[in-house]
Structures are given as structure tokens and as C-alpha cells.
Amino acid sequence: MADPTLSAPIRLLIVDDHAVVRAGFSGVLNRQMGLEVVGSLQSGAEALSFLERCPVDVLLLDLHMPGMSGIETIQALQGLSCPPKVIVISSFEPDEDIYRAVEAGALGYLRKDISCSEILEAVKAVHSGKSHYPQCIRDRVSERRFQPSLSPRELEILEMVAKGLTNKEIGRAIQVSHFTVRNHVRHIIAKLEVGGRTEATTVAIQQGILMA
């Protein structure tokens, strides 16, 4: 008869486009009692296909991958009958991407150079339904909630403004008139409460809306 005090191991799936990262996390986590790494994949598309056949408890998901990004993968997970709890992993901490991951449903965030004990703490917390973020990330995400929200189109245009493109050049790039671009820029300036294009770029970088 099975011991009722023993619980089933936490089933983990690791998704990262770098083989060395997958191997590192798998090597660490496979040695821990109470955890079971059931798969190690290199893309969000592969993860979705795997999870349709083999549900897991916790997904360690690279935030920045070619093709389907980590955020897009999190959003697609909501279509599964039994989506896993997600911890996003990244080599760096751009505020906007972390905020978007939280908004999409991620419960945790880890840097790829984190300690073994921190990984275990995060997995156990997220598996129990709690969130797990370093305090600095908690503070920055909390601050971000009170910052203006730009639409995907406005973010796209702001990125081009930051590169020095004119309204006409932006219009040609996204196939709209320069008058439409001008209106978007006006909305961006109003939302960021700044005086012009240059200041909009500066403030967006300071707030983590754009990467420097």
C-alpha cells in the first residue's frame, strides 16, 4: 500500500532555445527529490504540442525565443484544457517584457544565473499557486502598473521614432499614411505626458517601455 504521506512529484517542462540552458536546468532539477523533468524543448510551438499530449504542473519558459516568444506562448497556453503554471526565465530584465509576462499569466520570474535553492523555491511556490518574483522585480512591476499603457501599434511606432525615423518613413514601413502616424505619435506623447518625440523616447527608456 502506498504511503499517503508521499505526494506525486512536481512535473516540470523546460523550454529554452539554448541547449546549454536546458541542460543546466534539467541537470539541477532532476537531482531534486519531489521534482520530475518530463521534457526539455527548444520552442514555444514544440511546448504547446507536447502539452496537448502530456500535461505538466510547472513550465520553465524562456522569455526571449525566436519564432513564438515566451509571452506569445503564455497566451497560447490559455487554450489548453489544463495549462501549467508558468515561470519565465531570462538573461536580463527589461521591465516591459516582464510586465507583459505577468499580465499574460506568468506566476514567477527567474534569471538564468539564479542559484539552485532559488529555483526550487520558485517552483514550489508557483506549484502551490503563489507568485514568485525577486523584490526588485515586484517593485518594478508594481510601479509599471501605474504607468501609461501603449497599444502594440503605438509601441511599434515609438520604437521607430526612437530610431530616428520620420512620420513618412514610419508610414511607409507599416503601410499607413503619415497623417495616421502623426496621430499615433500625438497619442503617445499625451499618454507619456511629455513635450515631444525626443522626450517620449527618453521617458519610455527610463520607464522600461523601450529597451535602450
Side-chain angles (χ1 to χ4, degrees):
M1 183 174 179
D3 186 342
T5 63
L6 296 177
S7 58
I10 300 173
R11 291 165 55 80
L12 299 166
L13 176 64
I14 300 168
V15 181
D16 192 292
D17 62 309
H18 292 97
V20 67
V21 174
R22 297 197 304 273
F25 273 90
S26 295
V28 168
L29 296 172
N30 263 327
R31 294 195 297 266
Q32 307 305 318
M33 184 172 295
L35 303 182
E36 178 187 2
V37 177
V38 298
S40 175
L41 305 171
Q42 65 180 349
S43 73
E46 287 184 357
L48 291 170
S49 178
F50 181 94
L51 291 168
E52 288 176 351
R53 307 186 310 271
C54 182
V56 303
D57 300 309
V58 177
L59 172 62
L60 290 178
L61 178 66
D62 186 9
L63 192 54
H64 303 97
M65 297 183 292
M68 180 178 283
S69 70
I71 293 169
E72 290 169 335
T73 303
I74 296 171
Q75 293 168 338
L77 289 173
Q78 307 315 310
L80 299 177
S81 58
C82 187
K85 296 179 174 67
V86 177
I87 299 173
V88 292
I89 55 178
S90 177
S91 299
F92 49 94
E93 303 171 353
D95 294 4
E96 181 67 17
D97 286 347
I98 296 173
Y99 178 74
R100 290 174 61 204
V102 173
E103 289 292 287
L107 289 179
Y109 168 81
L110 292 173
R111 285 181 57 92
K112 293 183 181 180
D113 58 359
I114 203 71
S115 68
C116 177
S117 60
E118 183 75 8
I119 299 171
L120 293 174
E121 182 183 347
V123 169
K124 291 177 180 178
V126 167
H127 179 250
S128 69
K130 300 175 183 177
S131 62
H132 182 93
Y133 301 100
Q135 188 58 51
C136 62
I137 298 300
R138 288 180 182 275
D139 293 341
R140 285 155 64 181
V141 168
S142 178
E143 291 172 1
R144 180 66 182 83
R145 290 185 186 278
F146 298 99
Q147 292 174 357
S149 178
L150 301 182
S151 70
R153 176 62 94 184
E154 288 169 344
L155 282 171
E156 182 182 22
I157 289 174
L158 183 56
E159 287 173 353
M160 289 189 248
V161 168
K163 294 176 182 177
L165 274 65
T166 65
N167 288 352
K168 288 185 177 180
E169 290 170 332
I170 294 171
R172 285 196 293 269
I174 62 176
Q175 298 183 332
V176 300
S177 75
H178 69 278
F179 297 109
T180 299
V181 175
R182 182 188 62 189
N183 289 336
H184 279 303
V185 172
R186 285 175 176 173
H187 292 156
I188 292 168
I189 289 171
K191 285 184 177 181
L192 296 178
E193 299 181 346
V194 295
R197 299 162 69 97
T198 302
E199 190 179 359
T201 299
T202 302
V203 168
I205 292 173
Q206 290 173 344
Q207 295 184 356
I209 297 172
L210 289 182
M211 293 181 62

